[in-house]
């Protein structure tokens, strides 16, 4: 199995001002292509550090992928380092990239500056893979066994995440043309509603009876629950698929409706699919989640087919005046209560005229209301068969509590719709 | 200057299923304490890999900080690796951590399981820094010069982000007790409304005249604009502060109202401060941003003092019926238009009774409306002096466009309020 290292270059990541999302994206793409990632590395904008680290990675891996360090303001250091590493003494202009740069600038009504022109210049030791989404091209460097003790390739990608994501597809294609890749098979099962330790206990018999060439990974995320990923590396393609299918079928029987998808998926996409296929519409009334649920639902391309909109009723008066929650209900039960969650769900469903609605009222923290512990949320789901409510309590910071509130609400909504549709 | 390496342990990060936010958080904390981070590393859950990589990091750094690999389901590998690395052959129970575990489980109404008990067991070669926020303790290992050629410390932190964030404060305190740290000074200036290359051009004279011991970093982010960070490492504390202040004053004069804060800040916090100090309230009407603006505004603790709420009018009927946008306006100008943005802003301001309101209507993509290019947004800001509108056009994918729409709207709102208040 070929192995790879991913290296991000840039002080902004090293000093913690930017979160690196490229490495994960690249690792997923490599993993799907059957390439094992041995490690990820972040280094600063220093020519010596770049050379020293990349040299070491090239000694230990078949493929090294770098991102970043190619922006117009710091272009020189990384390119100079790559030129030195690959023994190039001359820059050449990539006509293909220059053409793209011209067209991008033209579309945006901008003039070609010297810095733009510089971005098309590359060491003559590399092959250019044009970057259609931005100005900095992908550079591919090939090294024979004589250089680092093994045949190795280095791909330098731009750091802008959507440019890197666009480029990685071309890079994987290039890797396939240069390397024989071993097969890899995965199955994902998305689970919501159990903590990692409880899930591990629930499936321990199934897990311990897995064949030795299968590997199970637990991948928890506050917004999606736990992704269970079952993998076989390097077997016979046909046999693997059938064997994974049979294990996954057994797993799903154990987990029942805790499973919301057997694809690499999210709750908001699952809810979207259920609504779309049944021709139903949705609205939301948010208090403590402040727009998070609406933002998740509308992040799915095509959500306008089933999502009508939402009311964020952060202030009590908005709950009363816009959503029609009776002041008396709030007075008697408090804002964070089953009764208010229900009235909010009914209120937004009526106001926006949707088939379903979901509501939240709770305490994300840091401050509490004196009555309920911080981390408490009441969720309401109203639909053709009335309104259900549920309370959840989490123990995280504000940001994480809001995420858990939102995903719990989406999962509750998912179960309600599945139940109505007899899925 | 002391140097450090940050190492995340866990297959979930290496295979790209989780984005590592701990490394950045830890790097920021180390940087503020005057410790230089030399690199960040991610490795998998393999005992040999952990030992091999940590040994190498300990040879090259004063301080090595690991996160992850201590969860109940994979506890053994990392602890066994750290025991071997530090020459421990015996586990001992941390009574302090066990007490915390008992209390956490009690608060959540859970029984103590064997896996919970195991989390309080640590190699006898480490000092425990209790983790008050979770079950896995922080382990501190000290190595003399005889082990790796330099005096070095290793701190193993839990991987759960808010637990790691809580633990890092105690770790920094421990580092201060064991090492003499050199001073470091930073100033941040938050800029919104210019691309990195244009900003670089605008301040190039100022930048090129900076003293040689000052370092300027450009830190762009779609949600916050560009953070300019000016640093001096290792000088005399008093002198540095005054010199940085004088450079920052000059910089702010060049940039004018492009600067929204001279603290490490966000647009939503800046808007919140302006509203709070002037006693004004805010509401939002979102179409293409789908709740992102509301979610950003309400992510600030204490936002309920000025934020009343929002309407996400994803469907045209919600724009008409709830926000009162005339059907005729939509018919004549189209949904993505100055006129609709204005009517939405007026509509939500009236409906929720706020002093200010902000609205968005645009095309995040991937599909367009045939009339406007994907990436177009109209933003409206209504206030005591009427309504202003502006059009922005971006060239990103759906997710990034939504972020840029939201931050542009917040910046437009920020400028309007500053203007009204004569800030």
């Amino acid at each position: 199995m070929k192995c790879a290292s991913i290296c991000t270059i840039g002080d902004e990541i090293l000093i913690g001002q930017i979160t690196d999302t490229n490495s994960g994206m690249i690792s997923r793409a490599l993993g799907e292509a059957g390439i094992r990632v041995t490690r990820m590395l972040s280094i600063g904008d220093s020519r010596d550090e770049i050379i020293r680290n990349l040299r070491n990675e090239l000694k230990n891996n078949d493929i090294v992928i770098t991102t970043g360090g190619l922006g117009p303001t710091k272009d020189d250091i990384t390119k100079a380092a790559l030129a030195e590493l690959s023994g190039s003494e001359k820059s050449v202009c990539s006509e293909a990239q220059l053409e793209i740069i011209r067209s991008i600038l033209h579309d945006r009504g901008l003039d070609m500056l010297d810095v733009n022109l510089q971005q098309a210049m590359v060491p003559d030791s590399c092959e250019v893979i044009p970057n259609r989404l931005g100005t900095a091209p992908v550079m591919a460097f090939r090294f024979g066994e004589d250089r680092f003790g093994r045949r190795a390739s280095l791909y330098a990608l731009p750091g802008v995440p959507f440019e890197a994501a666009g480029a990685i597809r071309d890079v994987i294609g290039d890797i396939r043309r240069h390397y024989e890749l071993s097969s890899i098979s995965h199955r994902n099962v998305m689970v919501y509603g159990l903590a990692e330790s409880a899930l591990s206990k629930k499936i321990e018999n199934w897990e311990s009876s897995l064949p030795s060439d299968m590997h199970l990974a637990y991948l928890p995320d506050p917004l999606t629950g736990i992704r269970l990923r079952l993998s076989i590396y390097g077997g016979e393609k046909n046999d693997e698929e059938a064997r994974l299918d049979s294990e996954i079928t057994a797993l799903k029987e154990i987990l029942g409706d805790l499973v919301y998808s057997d694809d690499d998926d999210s709750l908001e996409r699952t809810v979207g699919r259920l609504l779309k296929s049944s021709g139903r519409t949705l609205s939301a009334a948010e208090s403590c989640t402040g727009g998070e649920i609406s933002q998740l639902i509308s992040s799915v391309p095509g959500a306008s087919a089933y999502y009508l909109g939402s009311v964020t009723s952060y202030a009590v008066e908005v709950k009363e005046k816009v959503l029609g929650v009776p002041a008396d209900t709030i007075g008697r039960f408090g804002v964070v209560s089953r009764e208010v969650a229900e009235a909010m769900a009914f209120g937004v469903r009526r106001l926006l005229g949707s088939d379903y609605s979901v509501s939240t009222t709770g305490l994300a923290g840091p401050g509490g209301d004196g009555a309920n512990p911080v981390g408490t949320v009441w969720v309401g789901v109203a639909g053709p068969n009335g309104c259900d409510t549920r309370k959840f309590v989490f123990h995280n910071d504000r940001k994480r509590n809001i995420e858990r509130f939102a995903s719990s609400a989406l999962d509750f909504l998912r179960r309600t719709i599945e139940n109505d549709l007899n899925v």
Side-chain angles (χ1 to χ4, degrees), chain A residues 80-348:
Chain A
L82 292 172
E84 184 175 334
L85 188 71
S86 61
S88 160
E89 285 170 8
K90 206 176 100 190
S91 279
V92 292
C93 178
S94 161
E95 289 299 331
Q97 191 63 42
L98 190 60
E99 202 39 61
I100 294 171
I101 295 173
R102 271 202 201 96
S103 136
I104 288 175
L105 294 173
H106 177 263
D107 285 355
R108 301 185 186 178
L110 299 171
D111 291 329
M112 173 86 77
L113 302 176
D114 226 37
V115 289
N116 304 127
L117 205 60
Q118 273 306 315
Q119 298 213 267
M121 299 300 293
V122 298
D124 67 351
S125 54
C126 79
E127 292 164 30
V128 163
I129 301 177
N131 169 10
R132 283 174 215 91
L133 304 173
T135 48
V138 176
M139 295 173 279
F141 298 86
R142 325 275 178 201
F143 301 97
E145 256 181 67
D146 52 317
R147 281 305 306 281
F148 301 107
R150 69 196 292 161
R151 188 180 147 229
S153 298
L154 185 152
Y155 296 90
L157 274 58
V160 181
F162 88 98
E163 294 180 26
I168 193 67
R169 277 175 294 190
D170 295 334
V171 169
I172 297 283
D174 190 84
I175 293 172
R176 283 191 196 285
R177 281 189 294 279
H178 286 80
Y179 293 89
E180 190 83 40
L181 300 182
S182 56
S183 83
I184 189 166
S185 300
H186 301 294
R187 285 286 185 289
N188 289 293
V189 170
M190 306 298 299
V191 180
Y192 197 95
L194 274 188
E196 192 178 345
S197 51
L199 176 60
S200 146
K201 217 172 160 57
K202 195 174 176 77
I203 63 172
E204 67 183 343
N205 289 337
W206 172 84
E207 190 177 351
S208 61
S209 71
L210 283 175
S212 62
D213 65 341
M214 286 196 193
H215 176 74
L216 182 73
Y218 288 71
L219 308 158
D221 179 289
L223 287 176
T224 55
I226 298 173
R227 184 192 321 254
L228 290 173
R229 176 158 142 157
L230 191 62
S231 310
I232 305 180
Y233 294 86
E236 290 300 319
K237 201 77 184 176
N238 284 336
D239 179 41
E240 282 167 28
E241 301 291 333
R243 286 173 59 219
L244 285 172
D245 282 343
S246 122
E247 293 296 349
I248 290 294
T249 303
L251 175 65
K252 285 168 71 178
E253 231 156 79
I254 298 166
L255 292 174
D257 71 352
L258 291 166
V259 174
Y260 68 84
S261 174
D262 47 5
D263 205 345
D264 183 352
D265 215 340
S266 67
L267 287 162
E268 56 272 19
R269 279 195 296 269
T270 303
V271 164
R273 264 197 312 277
L274 288 167
L275 291 166
K276 208 166 178 179
S277 67
S278 61
R280 306 292 170 90
T281 58
L282 174 67
S283 65
E286 304 191 58
S287 184
C288 54
T289 46
E292 177 89 13
I293 293 176
S294 181
Q295 185 260 112
L296 286 169
I297 294 168
S298 60
S299 71
V300 179
S304 55
Y306 49 83
Y307 184 51
L308 303 186
S310 75
V311 172
T312 308
S313 56
Y314 220 61
V316 170
E317 306 80 63
V318 178
K319 288 184 183 71
E320 293 174 8
K321 277 197 251 165
V322 182
L323 293 175
V325 178
D328 176 57
T329 303
I330 294 175
R332 277 172 65 198
F333 302 103
V335 169
V336 180
S337 62
R338 176 197 297 272
E339 290 75 10
V340 168
E342 186 173 287
M344 286 173 67
F346 278 133
V348 80

Side-chain angles (χ1 to χ4, degrees), chain A residues 2-5 30 35 61-65 152-153 155 175 179:
Chain A
K2 299 296 170 199
C3 63
S5 163
L30 292 171
I35 299 163
N61 292 280
D62 303 298
I63 295 151
V64 175
I65 298 192
S153 298
Y155 296 90
I175 293 172
Y179 293 89

